[in-house]
Amino acid sequence: LEVAVKTMVFASRLSKGVTTYDAAINEAALCKSLSHPNIVSTYHYDVKLMETGEVNGEHIALTVTEEQGRSGSGGEASARLSQALQQHDDYKLYLVQEL
């Protein structure tokens, strides 16, 4: 079975009135609920927390896995990077859809 993985970022600085996590879950629920011959099917979804910020004047975003947790892991360089990041409640939605 061939599939495509669609990703979407829900940024807290762009949301108004609804949490970014709720917006990501609502989008996933909507995609999974649609059933029509002209609409691709969504088989699975996952939502990951992201840390965003600026390092040396450059905007960056890191996806935080469940194993890493919100604080991250990986030594001194990772600790410096985590300190440099400005934390937001940003999320990345992964949708596994038919190709």
Side-chain angles (χ1 to χ4, degrees), residues 47-52 62-74 78-79 81-82 85 87-91:
V47 179
K48 298 286 186 184
L49 179 65
M50 294 180 64
E51 292 185 10
T52 61
L62 300 175
T63 302
V64 179
T65 64
E66 293 166 337
E67 293 81 25
Q68 290 172 320
R70 189 167 179 121
S71 62
S73 63
S78 178
L81 184 58
S82 291
L85 292 172
Q87 290 186 4
H88 297 287
D89 287 330
D90 296 342
Y91 292 90

Side-chain angles (χ1 to χ4, degrees), residues 8-30:
M8 300 171 68
V9 174
F10 292 83
S12 61
R13 66 185 182 284
L14 302 177
S15 66
K16 294 180 172 78
V18 66
T19 68
T20 52
Y21 182 79
D22 290 341
I25 292 298
N26 288 339
E27 181 73 22
L30 177 65

